[in-house]
Amino acid sequence: MPDFEIVRREDFSDTTYLLEVRHPLLARAARPGQFVIVMLHEHGERIPLTIADYDREGGTVTLVIQAVGKTTREMQAACRVGTRLHALVGPMGVPTAIGHAKKVVCVGGGLGVAPIFAQARGHKEAGAHVVAVLGFRTRSLVFWEEKFARTCDELILCTNDGSAGLKGLITDGVHEALARHGDIDELVAIGPPVMMKACAEVTRARGIKTTVSVNPIMVDGTGMCGGCRIKVGDQVKFACVDGPDFDGHLVDFDDLMTRLARYKREEREAEERFSASCRMAKLPDFDMLAAVAAEATARGDPPESLDPFEQTLGG
Amino acid sequence: MAKKKTVRTIPQTRTPMPEQEPAMRARNFSEVACGYSVADAMREADRCLECPDEPCVRGCPVGVDIPGFIRRITARDLRGAYDVLTDTNLLPAVCGRVCPQESQCEGVCTVGDTLEPVAIGRLERYVGDAAIREGWANVPDIEATRFRVGIVGSGPAGMACAADMAKAGCEVTVYEAFHEPGGVLRYGIPDFRLPNEVIDAEIANLKKLGVRFECNTLVGRLFTIEQMIDELGFDAVFVGVGAGYPTMLGIPGDSLNGVLSANELLTRCNLMRARDFPAYDTPLPIGKRVAVVGAGNTAMDAMRVSLRLGAEKVCCVYRRSRTEAPARLEELHHAEQEGVEFHWLTNPVAVLDDGDGSVRALRCVRMELGEPDASGRRRPVAVAGSEFDFECDLVVYAIGTNANPIMGQTSGMKLNERGYIATDDELATSLAGVFAGGDIVTGAATVIQAMGAGRRAARSMKRYLGLRDLDDAASGRTLFGIDLAEHGFARVRVA
């Protein structure tokens, strides 16, 4: 069995980092739209992360993670090249249906940028004309611009402050894409629920098929606990085995957002305790993290949310 | 030679199980039933009449030689008792704790016709625990075959099948999606009923038989059942993945925060160790008042876990009466002793919102029993105008599970109309060389039934692979009037 060794790490910003993990079997099985569940250590949580990329020849899968909660910050500090994850299981979820659409808009907001890549490439490989719309808060957070430009036919970059690309919300980028093409078959959106909701509203009026990838709280990821259930139309679906892709016009995003906040208090407590322990322990591996934590504490802004997607503004 | 025992000469009452005090144990995760002492076990073993027709053996889903192992306890030959038990039952320490004995072996015990039945489960556990303490393991002289067997799921069905196939000389690999093996024994049944050390010991025994465990492997998605046969070189595969797709009630308020399945509650607490939050990262805020819907074993576990996690009040809401409750009797007693409040003949109709997306109360309606339904139990009918609200901050659904869809999504195996894997009487699926058993075939059942299915599948698998079934041969079967065992054919293998 693979030992989940981290073979490459890249830091995109203070909070966003990429981990490439060795798992040849998983790299071979992974398809666009699927996710994995990761445990950092024996005492850790199981957290779901969408597969951003995979290298079938090299035998690795790529995860892009935003440090927003205790676990993701701890991973940021502990996951160096050569270290190992405690657990990595997947690929989970139903792969994205690819191959039917001729012209596709792929929208990624903040951390949704990484997971939308696998889908954009999948659609491209299936012969579709792919327009990528990427949204970031500001220029310093932008990553993979090149990678998308190489893979997709068109790239529309937006930042909230206008420091790169279009100035505005990601929906402005979506409007731009729809203005350029009157014959879009499908729009795929990944990002914070509020962003996906906004994108779905834009396409609803025009009757464009819209697929979103949800990322609710999960434990097992195999359909066993029901913690990830969401409302889709008048049905209840389990994101882990029935999704994570769903019809964006049917998903009840308000319900999804409420459920994502379920462990907010516990998460914040864990986060504060973690920051405190980092300051006290002064472990060499945690140096960088301690600095970040101290800075965050000094600013008095403990991260709010459990969902890595939640922290990014994109809509 | 001692005088023949009769119901008059044996101890008249069953030896009570030493237990932690209810008030104390309801706040800790240590095992509730402490286990028999030597004296307890000797006294209880003495109650077995060794009656000739052995109804208990027929009452056991795996046919344990019950009088045989009890006789050895009486003879103070614990090792011998362990050997007899493990001839048929791989996991005595587990089954002694979790089998519903009252509806199996103990339910048909001859002593039980006049007195309380022999406490077979407690004696079984006594022997199983002794084996763990002493480090006994029965590793038979295994003659290796060239066959490789893959087992999907490391729960009781998979473990039982793995043991039998390993004993038959196959190279066995067990795949588990979680990061630790054991299936429902690990994530579902809490420590106070089945300590982790017991599971660890049983898994260690399997490893001694040569069984390999591969965790973090989601079969179906990482590779398919078909790939196991076609590409990974397995000669036969057993699928024992469990049912595990929890049923929600489908009433208003189902999706509120604070409504969760018993599976989620138990997995967070047991496998992910939320009870040790924040030392472990997985949270499980339990609130003050907990309502658990359902009255099966899982419901009892959920209630008792809630108490131990600090709930002030835990209620059981069940639409039928106590008589119909499917839980093992001992679990029901324990829950009652620990202070769970039972609301029989009560059915939830809605979960009420606190205005902030969380649970405020459970709205229920009183029921009365009408005519018997298809299951033979009297059908509960709502009493008009009897609605009332039960205030609580956590609602746990323990009302059963549906078939997990992953196998159906990823393989060509035939499913039945309810989504479970379709098998013939020999537990063979529609794919050649692939067998299935346990909850994914029958729907939710018990640990011992799953183990029984794992063993039945192993028998079929051995026939499929052309391996002589040692169990059949050793059980004194005859062929053309020749007793196979007597003539030394029992160990002959056709490979």
mmCIF file with all atom_site columns, all heavy atoms in Angstrom, chain A residues 1 70 91 222 224-225 229 241-242 258-259 273, chain B residues 214 245 254-255 257 261 263 278 281 404 409:
data_model
loop_
_atom_site.group_PDB
_atom_site.id
_atom_site.type_symbol
_atom_site.label_atom_id
_atom_site.label_alt_id
_atom_site.label_comp_id
_atom_site.label_asym_id
_atom_site.label_entity_id
_atom_site.label_seq_id
_atom_site.pdbx_PDB_ins_code
_atom_site.Cartn_x
_atom_site.Cartn_y
_atom_site.Cartn_z
_atom_site.occupancy
_atom_site.B_iso_or_equiv
_atom_site.pdbx_formal_charge
_atom_site.auth_seq_id
_atom_site.auth_comp_id
_atom_site.auth_asym_id
_atom_site.auth_atom_id
_atom_site.pdbx_PDB_model_num
ATOM 1   N N   . MET A 1 1   ? 0.846   -1.207 0.000   1.00 0.00 ? 1   MET A N   1
ATOM 2   C CA  . MET A 1 1   ? 0.000   0.000  0.000   1.00 0.00 ? 1   MET A CA  1
ATOM 3   C C   . MET A 1 1   ? 0.877   1.251  0.000   1.00 0.00 ? 1   MET A C   1
ATOM 4   O O   . MET A 1 1   ? 1.951   1.262  0.576   1.00 0.00 ? 1   MET A O   1
ATOM 5   C CB  . MET A 1 1   ? -0.834  -0.034 1.286   1.00 0.00 ? 1   MET A CB  1
ATOM 6   C CG  . MET A 1 1   ? -2.329  0.178  1.123   1.00 0.00 ? 1   MET A CG  1
ATOM 7   S SD  . MET A 1 1   ? -3.026  0.060  -0.510  1.00 0.00 ? 1   MET A SD  1
ATOM 8   C CE  . MET A 1 1   ? -4.196  1.382  -0.445  1.00 0.00 ? 1   MET A CE  1
ATOM 9   N N   . LYS A 1 70  ? -8.272  24.572 12.152  1.00 0.00 ? 70  LYS A N   1
ATOM 10  C CA  . LYS A 1 70  ? -7.189  23.969 12.910  1.00 0.00 ? 70  LYS A CA  1
ATOM 11  C C   . LYS A 1 70  ? -6.440  22.941 12.065  1.00 0.00 ? 70  LYS A C   1
ATOM 12  O O   . LYS A 1 70  ? -5.216  22.959 11.963  1.00 0.00 ? 70  LYS A O   1
ATOM 13  C CB  . LYS A 1 70  ? -7.759  23.308 14.167  1.00 0.00 ? 70  LYS A CB  1
ATOM 14  C CG  . LYS A 1 70  ? -6.696  22.915 15.158  1.00 0.00 ? 70  LYS A CG  1
ATOM 15  C CD  . LYS A 1 70  ? -6.664  21.427 15.373  1.00 0.00 ? 70  LYS A CD  1
ATOM 16  C CE  . LYS A 1 70  ? -5.504  21.068 16.308  1.00 0.00 ? 70  LYS A CE  1
ATOM 17  N NZ  . LYS A 1 70  ? -5.316  19.632 16.420  1.00 0.00 ? 70  LYS A NZ  1
ATOM 18  N N   . PRO A 1 91  ? -10.355 7.510  -4.832  1.00 0.00 ? 91  PRO A N   1
ATOM 19  C CA  . PRO A 1 91  ? -11.163 8.699  -5.086  1.00 0.00 ? 91  PRO A CA  1
ATOM 20  C C   . PRO A 1 91  ? -12.620 8.460  -4.690  1.00 0.00 ? 91  PRO A C   1
ATOM 21  O O   . PRO A 1 91  ? -13.134 7.366  -4.888  1.00 0.00 ? 91  PRO A O   1
ATOM 22  C CB  . PRO A 1 91  ? -11.035 8.876  -6.600  1.00 0.00 ? 91  PRO A CB  1
ATOM 23  C CG  . PRO A 1 91  ? -10.822 7.494  -7.124  1.00 0.00 ? 91  PRO A CG  1
ATOM 24  C CD  . PRO A 1 91  ? -10.061 6.762  -6.049  1.00 0.00 ? 91  PRO A CD  1
ATOM 25  N N   . THR A 1 222 ? -18.208 7.660  2.587   1.00 0.00 ? 222 THR A N   1
ATOM 26  C CA  . THR A 1 222 ? -18.647 6.465  1.863   1.00 0.00 ? 222 THR A CA  1
ATOM 27  C C   . THR A 1 222 ? -20.152 6.247  1.976   1.00 0.00 ? 222 THR A C   1
ATOM 28  O O   . THR A 1 222 ? -20.635 5.149  1.723   1.00 0.00 ? 222 THR A O   1
ATOM 29  C CB  . THR A 1 222 ? -17.927 5.214  2.397   1.00 0.00 ? 222 THR A CB  1
ATOM 30  O OG1 . THR A 1 222 ? -18.258 5.060  3.792   1.00 0.00 ? 222 THR A OG1 1
ATOM 31  C CG2 . THR A 1 222 ? -16.436 5.326  2.257   1.00 0.00 ? 222 THR A CG2 1
ATOM 32  N N   . MET A 1 224 ? -21.977 6.493  4.719   1.00 0.00 ? 224 MET A N   1
ATOM 33  C CA  . MET A 1 224 ? -22.343 5.771  5.907   1.00 0.00 ? 224 MET A CA  1
ATOM 34  C C   . MET A 1 224 ? -22.902 6.631  7.033   1.00 0.00 ? 224 MET A C   1
ATOM 35  O O   . MET A 1 224 ? -23.627 6.142  7.885   1.00 0.00 ? 224 MET A O   1
ATOM 36  C CB  . MET A 1 224 ? -21.110 5.045  6.404   1.00 0.00 ? 224 MET A CB  1
ATOM 37  C CG  . MET A 1 224 ? -21.385 3.819  7.149   1.00 0.00 ? 224 MET A CG  1
ATOM 38  S SD  . MET A 1 224 ? -19.912 3.452  8.049   1.00 0.00 ? 224 MET A SD  1
ATOM 39  C CE  . MET A 1 224 ? -19.942 4.760  9.241   1.00 0.00 ? 224 MET A CE  1
ATOM 40  N N   . CYS A 1 225 ? -22.546 7.921  7.075   1.00 0.00 ? 225 CYS A N   1
ATOM 41  C CA  . CYS A 1 225 ? -22.971 8.703  8.239   1.00 0.00 ? 225 CYS A CA  1
ATOM 42  C C   . CYS A 1 225 ? -24.093 9.686  7.930   1.00 0.00 ? 225 CYS A C   1
ATOM 43  O O   . CYS A 1 225 ? -24.855 10.051 8.807   1.00 0.00 ? 225 CYS A O   1
ATOM 44  C CB  . CYS A 1 225 ? -21.782 9.423  8.871   1.00 0.00 ? 225 CYS A CB  1
ATOM 45  S SG  . CYS A 1 225 ? -21.291 10.953 8.061   1.00 0.00 ? 225 CYS A SG  1
ATOM 46  N N   . ARG A 1 229 ? -25.486 15.295 4.031   1.00 0.00 ? 229 ARG A N   1
ATOM 47  C CA  . ARG A 1 229 ? -26.724 15.351 3.244   1.00 0.00 ? 229 ARG A CA  1
ATOM 48  C C   . ARG A 1 229 ? -27.094 16.788 2.896   1.00 0.00 ? 229 ARG A C   1
ATOM 49  O O   . ARG A 1 229 ? -26.917 17.706 3.700   1.00 0.00 ? 229 ARG A O   1
ATOM 50  C CB  . ARG A 1 229 ? -27.867 14.653 3.983   1.00 0.00 ? 229 ARG A CB  1
ATOM 51  C CG  . ARG A 1 229 ? -28.267 15.279 5.292   1.00 0.00 ? 229 ARG A CG  1
ATOM 52  C CD  . ARG A 1 229 ? -29.225 14.362 6.044   1.00 0.00 ? 229 ARG A CD  1
ATOM 53  N NE  . ARG A 1 229 ? -29.766 15.042 7.223   1.00 0.00 ? 229 ARG A NE  1
ATOM 54  C CZ  . ARG A 1 229 ? -29.155 15.087 8.389   1.00 0.00 ? 229 ARG A CZ  1
ATOM 55  N NH1 . ARG A 1 229 ? -27.972 14.524 8.538   1.00 0.00 ? 229 ARG A NH1 1
ATOM 56  N NH2 . ARG A 1 229 ? -29.720 15.709 9.399   1.00 0.00 ? 229 ARG A NH2 1
ATOM 57  N N   . VAL A 1 241 ? -21.679 10.126 -1.832  1.00 0.00 ? 241 VAL A N   1
ATOM 58  C CA  . VAL A 1 241 ? -21.899 9.023  -2.771  1.00 0.00 ? 241 VAL A CA  1
ATOM 59  C C   . VAL A 1 241 ? -22.882 9.368  -3.883  1.00 0.00 ? 241 VAL A C   1
ATOM 60  O O   . VAL A 1 241 ? -22.865 8.740  -4.937  1.00 0.00 ? 241 VAL A O   1
ATOM 61  C CB  . VAL A 1 241 ? -22.371 7.718  -2.058  1.00 0.00 ? 241 VAL A CB  1
ATOM 62  C CG1 . VAL A 1 241 ? -21.230 7.116  -1.276  1.00 0.00 ? 241 VAL A CG1 1
ATOM 63  C CG2 . VAL A 1 241 ? -23.570 7.962  -1.185  1.00 0.00 ? 241 VAL A CG2 1
ATOM 64  N N   . ASP A 1 242 ? -23.759 10.339 -3.658  1.00 0.00 ? 242 ASP A N   1
ATOM 65  C CA  . ASP A 1 242 ? -24.691 10.744 -4.718  1.00 0.00 ? 242 ASP A CA  1
ATOM 66  C C   . ASP A 1 242 ? -24.086 11.891 -5.530  1.00 0.00 ? 242 ASP A C   1
ATOM 67  O O   . ASP A 1 242 ? -24.527 12.185 -6.631  1.00 0.00 ? 242 ASP A O   1
ATOM 68  C CB  . ASP A 1 242 ? -26.026 11.197 -4.114  1.00 0.00 ? 242 ASP A CB  1
ATOM 69  C CG  . ASP A 1 242 ? -26.706 10.095 -3.314  1.00 0.00 ? 242 ASP A CG  1
ATOM 70  O OD1 . ASP A 1 242 ? -26.623 8.929  -3.745  1.00 0.00 ? 242 ASP A OD1 1
ATOM 71  O OD2 . ASP A 1 242 ? -27.299 10.385 -2.267  1.00 0.00 ? 242 ASP A OD2 1
ATOM 72  N N   . THR A 1 258 ? -26.041 26.735 6.141   1.00 0.00 ? 258 THR A N   1
ATOM 73  C CA  . THR A 1 258 ? -26.390 26.536 7.549   1.00 0.00 ? 258 THR A CA  1
ATOM 74  C C   . THR A 1 258 ? -25.697 25.291 8.095   1.00 0.00 ? 258 THR A C   1
ATOM 75  O O   . THR A 1 258 ? -25.137 25.294 9.186   1.00 0.00 ? 258 THR A O   1
ATOM 76  C CB  . THR A 1 258 ? -27.916 26.352 7.699   1.00 0.00 ? 258 THR A CB  1
ATOM 77  O OG1 . THR A 1 258 ? -28.556 27.405 7.005   1.00 0.00 ? 258 THR A OG1 1
ATOM 78  C CG2 . THR A 1 258 ? -28.330 26.370 9.156   1.00 0.00 ? 258 THR A CG2 1
ATOM 79  N N   . ARG A 1 259 ? -25.739 24.237 7.307   1.00 0.00 ? 259 ARG A N   1
ATOM 80  C CA  . ARG A 1 259 ? -25.155 22.990 7.789   1.00 0.00 ? 259 ARG A CA  1
ATOM 81  C C   . ARG A 1 259 ? -23.624 23.072 7.890   1.00 0.00 ? 259 ARG A C   1
ATOM 82  O O   . ARG A 1 259 ? -23.016 22.424 8.730   1.00 0.00 ? 259 ARG A O   1
ATOM 83  C CB  . ARG A 1 259 ? -25.566 21.815 6.887   1.00 0.00 ? 259 ARG A CB  1
ATOM 84  C CG  . ARG A 1 259 ? -27.053 21.466 7.043   1.00 0.00 ? 259 ARG A CG  1
ATOM 85  C CD  . ARG A 1 259 ? -27.428 20.206 6.299   1.00 0.00 ? 259 ARG A CD  1
ATOM 86  N NE  . ARG A 1 259 ? -26.667 19.052 6.732   1.00 0.00 ? 259 ARG A NE  1
ATOM 87  C CZ  . ARG A 1 259 ? -26.914 18.360 7.833   1.00 0.00 ? 259 ARG A CZ  1
ATOM 88  N NH1 . ARG A 1 259 ? -27.919 18.691 8.617   1.00 0.00 ? 259 ARG A NH1 1
ATOM 89  N NH2 . ARG A 1 259 ? -26.180 17.328 8.153   1.00 0.00 ? 259 ARG A NH2 1
ATOM 90  N N   . ARG A 1 273 ? -6.951  26.945 20.640  1.00 0.00 ? 273 ARG A N   1
ATOM 91  C CA  . ARG A 1 273 ? -6.090  26.076 21.436  1.00 0.00 ? 273 ARG A CA  1
ATOM 92  C C   . ARG A 1 273 ? -4.830  25.728 20.646  1.00 0.00 ? 273 ARG A C   1
ATOM 93  O O   . ARG A 1 273 ? -3.733  25.696 21.182  1.00 0.00 ? 273 ARG A O   1
ATOM 94  C CB  . ARG A 1 273 ? -6.842  24.787 21.791  1.00 0.00 ? 273 ARG A CB  1
ATOM 95  C CG  . ARG A 1 273 ? -6.622  24.371 23.221  1.00 0.00 ? 273 ARG A CG  1
ATOM 96  C CD  . ARG A 1 273 ? -7.502  23.204 23.580  1.00 0.00 ? 273 ARG A CD  1
ATOM 97  N NE  . ARG A 1 273 ? -8.886  23.572 23.603  1.00 0.00 ? 273 ARG A NE  1
ATOM 98  C CZ  . ARG A 1 273 ? -9.858  23.092 22.833  1.00 0.00 ? 273 ARG A CZ  1
ATOM 99  N NH1 . ARG A 1 273 ? -9.638  22.215 21.998  1.00 0.00 ? 273 ARG A NH1 1
ATOM 100 N NH2 . ARG A 1 273 ? -11.081 23.478 22.899  1.00 0.00 ? 273 ARG A NH2 1
ATOM 101 N N   . GLU B 2 214 ? -5.627  -4.133 4.416   1.00 0.00 ? 214 GLU B N   1
ATOM 102 C CA  . GLU B 2 214 ? -5.280  -2.910 3.704   1.00 0.00 ? 214 GLU B CA  1
ATOM 103 C C   . GLU B 2 214 ? -6.357  -1.881 4.008   1.00 0.00 ? 214 GLU B C   1
ATOM 104 O O   . GLU B 2 214 ? -7.479  -1.972 3.503   1.00 0.00 ? 214 GLU B O   1
ATOM 105 C CB  . GLU B 2 214 ? -5.222  -3.162 2.190   1.00 0.00 ? 214 GLU B CB  1
ATOM 106 C CG  . GLU B 2 214 ? -4.131  -4.119 1.760   1.00 0.00 ? 214 GLU B CG  1
ATOM 107 C CD  . GLU B 2 214 ? -2.761  -3.479 1.686   1.00 0.00 ? 214 GLU B CD  1
ATOM 108 O OE1 . GLU B 2 214 ? -2.598  -2.326 2.133   1.00 0.00 ? 214 GLU B OE1 1
ATOM 109 O OE2 . GLU B 2 214 ? -1.833  -4.151 1.181   1.00 0.00 ? 214 GLU B OE2 1
ATOM 110 N N   . TYR B 2 245 ? -26.291 3.059  4.746   1.00 0.00 ? 245 TYR B N   1
ATOM 111 C CA  . TYR B 2 245 ? -26.707 4.327  4.149   1.00 0.00 ? 245 TYR B CA  1
ATOM 112 C C   . TYR B 2 245 ? -27.899 4.714  5.007   1.00 0.00 ? 245 TYR B C   1
ATOM 113 O O   . TYR B 2 245 ? -29.008 4.227  4.784   1.00 0.00 ? 245 TYR B O   1
ATOM 114 C CB  . TYR B 2 245 ? -27.091 4.117  2.681   1.00 0.00 ? 245 TYR B CB  1
ATOM 115 C CG  . TYR B 2 245 ? -27.388 5.375  1.885   1.00 0.00 ? 245 TYR B CG  1
ATOM 116 C CD1 . TYR B 2 245 ? -26.412 5.975  1.093   1.00 0.00 ? 245 TYR B CD1 1
ATOM 117 C CD2 . TYR B 2 245 ? -28.662 5.957  1.911   1.00 0.00 ? 245 TYR B CD2 1
ATOM 118 C CE1 . TYR B 2 245 ? -26.689 7.103  0.345   1.00 0.00 ? 245 TYR B CE1 1
ATOM 119 C CE2 . TYR B 2 245 ? -28.940 7.094  1.163   1.00 0.00 ? 245 TYR B CE2 1
ATOM 120 C CZ  . TYR B 2 245 ? -27.947 7.659  0.373   1.00 0.00 ? 245 TYR B CZ  1
ATOM 121 O OH  . TYR B 2 245 ? -28.233 8.782  -0.376  1.00 0.00 ? 245 TYR B OH  1
ATOM 122 N N   . ASP B 2 254 ? -35.703 17.642 9.094   1.00 0.00 ? 254 ASP B N   1
ATOM 123 C CA  . ASP B 2 254 ? -34.661 16.614 8.996   1.00 0.00 ? 254 ASP B CA  1
ATOM 124 C C   . ASP B 2 254 ? -33.257 17.170 8.813   1.00 0.00 ? 254 ASP B C   1
ATOM 125 O O   . ASP B 2 254 ? -32.285 16.580 9.254   1.00 0.00 ? 254 ASP B O   1
ATOM 126 C CB  . ASP B 2 254 ? -34.929 15.740 7.764   1.00 0.00 ? 254 ASP B CB  1
ATOM 127 C CG  . ASP B 2 254 ? -35.617 14.450 8.143   1.00 0.00 ? 254 ASP B CG  1
ATOM 128 O OD1 . ASP B 2 254 ? -35.855 14.260 9.338   1.00 0.00 ? 254 ASP B OD1 1
ATOM 129 O OD2 . ASP B 2 254 ? -35.891 13.655 7.231   1.00 0.00 ? 254 ASP B OD2 1
ATOM 130 N N   . SER B 2 255 ? -33.141 18.286 8.092   1.00 0.00 ? 255 SER B N   1
ATOM 131 C CA  . SER B 2 255 ? -31.799 18.753 7.731   1.00 0.00 ? 255 SER B CA  1
ATOM 132 C C   . SER B 2 255 ? -31.272 19.792 8.716   1.00 0.00 ? 255 SER B C   1
ATOM 133 O O   . SER B 2 255 ? -30.198 20.341 8.525   1.00 0.00 ? 255 SER B O   1
ATOM 134 C CB  . SER B 2 255 ? -31.802 19.312 6.313   1.00 0.00 ? 255 SER B CB  1
ATOM 135 O OG  . SER B 2 255 ? -32.505 20.528 6.298   1.00 0.00 ? 255 SER B OG  1
ATOM 136 N N   . ASN B 2 257 ? -29.408 21.525 11.825  1.00 0.00 ? 257 ASN B N   1
ATOM 137 C CA  . ASN B 2 257 ? -28.205 21.170 12.579  1.00 0.00 ? 257 ASN B CA  1
ATOM 138 C C   . ASN B 2 257 ? -28.636 20.601 13.918  1.00 0.00 ? 257 ASN B C   1
ATOM 139 O O   . ASN B 2 257 ? -29.474 21.167 14.607  1.00 0.00 ? 257 ASN B O   1
ATOM 140 C CB  . ASN B 2 257 ? -27.329 22.405 12.787  1.00 0.00 ? 257 ASN B CB  1
ATOM 141 C CG  . ASN B 2 257 ? -26.600 22.767 11.516  1.00 0.00 ? 257 ASN B CG  1
ATOM 142 O OD1 . ASN B 2 257 ? -26.346 21.908 10.672  1.00 0.00 ? 257 ASN B OD1 1
ATOM 143 N ND2 . ASN B 2 257 ? -26.273 24.036 11.373  1.00 0.00 ? 257 ASN B ND2 1
ATOM 144 N N   . SER B 2 261 ? -27.644 11.017 12.112  1.00 0.00 ? 261 SER B N   1
ATOM 145 C CA  . SER B 2 261 ? -27.886 9.577  12.151  1.00 0.00 ? 261 SER B CA  1
ATOM 146 C C   . SER B 2 261 ? -27.087 8.983  13.302  1.00 0.00 ? 261 SER B C   1
ATOM 147 O O   . SER B 2 261 ? -26.062 9.529  13.709  1.00 0.00 ? 261 SER B O   1
ATOM 148 C CB  . SER B 2 261 ? -27.443 8.936  10.838  1.00 0.00 ? 261 SER B CB  1
ATOM 149 O OG  . SER B 2 261 ? -26.034 8.908  10.762  1.00 0.00 ? 261 SER B OG  1
ATOM 150 N N   . ASN B 2 263 ? -25.384 6.434  13.073  1.00 0.00 ? 263 ASN B N   1
ATOM 151 C CA  . ASN B 2 263 ? -24.086 6.096  12.481  1.00 0.00 ? 263 ASN B CA  1
ATOM 152 C C   . ASN B 2 263 ? -23.086 7.240  12.642  1.00 0.00 ? 263 ASN B C   1
ATOM 153 O O   . ASN B 2 263 ? -21.925 7.024  12.966  1.00 0.00 ? 263 ASN B O   1
ATOM 154 C CB  . ASN B 2 263 ? -24.247 5.837  10.981  1.00 0.00 ? 263 ASN B CB  1
ATOM 155 C CG  . ASN B 2 263 ? -24.432 4.365  10.678  1.00 0.00 ? 263 ASN B CG  1
ATOM 156 O OD1 . ASN B 2 263 ? -24.493 3.550  11.591  1.00 0.00 ? 263 ASN B OD1 1
ATOM 157 N ND2 . ASN B 2 263 ? -24.521 4.036  9.410   1.00 0.00 ? 263 ASN B ND2 1
ATOM 158 N N   . PRO B 2 278 ? -10.789 17.913 23.180  1.00 0.00 ? 278 PRO B N   1
ATOM 159 C CA  . PRO B 2 278 ? -10.004 18.324 22.030  1.00 0.00 ? 278 PRO B CA  1
ATOM 160 C C   . PRO B 2 278 ? -8.685  17.567 21.821  1.00 0.00 ? 278 PRO B C   1
ATOM 161 O O   . PRO B 2 278 ? -7.941  17.950 20.920  1.00 0.00 ? 278 PRO B O   1
ATOM 162 C CB  . PRO B 2 278 ? -9.708  19.780 22.347  1.00 0.00 ? 278 PRO B CB  1
ATOM 163 C CG  . PRO B 2 278 ? -9.617  19.819 23.829  1.00 0.00 ? 278 PRO B CG  1
ATOM 164 C CD  . PRO B 2 278 ? -10.570 18.784 24.337  1.00 0.00 ? 278 PRO B CD  1
ATOM 165 N N   . ASP B 2 281 ? -9.259  15.575 17.206  1.00 0.00 ? 281 ASP B N   1
ATOM 166 C CA  . ASP B 2 281 ? -9.775  16.769 16.528  1.00 0.00 ? 281 ASP B CA  1
ATOM 167 C C   . ASP B 2 281 ? -11.254 16.743 16.153  1.00 0.00 ? 281 ASP B C   1
ATOM 168 O O   . ASP B 2 281 ? -11.821 17.768 15.818  1.00 0.00 ? 281 ASP B O   1
ATOM 169 C CB  . ASP B 2 281 ? -8.966  17.032 15.250  1.00 0.00 ? 281 ASP B CB  1
ATOM 170 C CG  . ASP B 2 281 ? -7.552  17.503 15.565  1.00 0.00 ? 281 ASP B CG  1
ATOM 171 O OD1 . ASP B 2 281 ? -7.337  17.964 16.702  1.00 0.00 ? 281 ASP B OD1 1
ATOM 172 O OD2 . ASP B 2 281 ? -6.681  17.406 14.686  1.00 0.00 ? 281 ASP B OD2 1
ATOM 173 N N   . ASN B 2 404 ? -25.928 0.631  0.718   1.00 0.00 ? 404 ASN B N   1
ATOM 174 C CA  . ASN B 2 404 ? -24.930 1.584  0.253   1.00 0.00 ? 404 ASN B CA  1
ATOM 175 C C   . ASN B 2 404 ? -24.827 1.477  -1.269  1.00 0.00 ? 404 ASN B C   1
ATOM 176 O O   . ASN B 2 404 ? -24.753 0.381  -1.809  1.00 0.00 ? 404 ASN B O   1
ATOM 177 C CB  . ASN B 2 404 ? -23.575 1.260  0.900   1.00 0.00 ? 404 ASN B CB  1
ATOM 178 C CG  . ASN B 2 404 ? -22.553 2.331  0.620   1.00 0.00 ? 404 ASN B CG  1
ATOM 179 O OD1 . ASN B 2 404 ? -22.150 2.523  -0.514  1.00 0.00 ? 404 ASN B OD1 1
ATOM 180 N ND2 . ASN B 2 404 ? -22.134 3.030  1.650   1.00 0.00 ? 404 ASN B ND2 1
ATOM 181 N N   . GLN B 2 409 ? -23.004 1.330  -8.085  1.00 0.00 ? 409 GLN B N   1
ATOM 182 C CA  . GLN B 2 409 ? -22.519 2.368  -9.005  1.00 0.00 ? 409 GLN B CA  1
ATOM 183 C C   . GLN B 2 409 ? -21.293 1.907  -9.783  1.00 0.00 ? 409 GLN B C   1
ATOM 184 O O   . GLN B 2 409 ? -21.033 2.376  -10.886 1.00 0.00 ? 409 GLN B O   1
ATOM 185 C CB  . GLN B 2 409 ? -22.121 3.636  -8.222  1.00 0.00 ? 409 GLN B CB  1
ATOM 186 C CG  . GLN B 2 409 ? -23.282 4.440  -7.667  1.00 0.00 ? 409 GLN B CG  1
ATOM 187 C CD  . GLN B 2 409 ? -22.803 5.521  -6.691  1.00 0.00 ? 409 GLN B CD  1
ATOM 188 O OE1 . GLN B 2 409 ? -21.667 5.497  -6.222  1.00 0.00 ? 409 GLN B OE1 1
ATOM 189 N NE2 . GLN B 2 409 ? -23.682 6.468  -6.370  1.00 0.00 ? 409 GLN B NE2 1
#
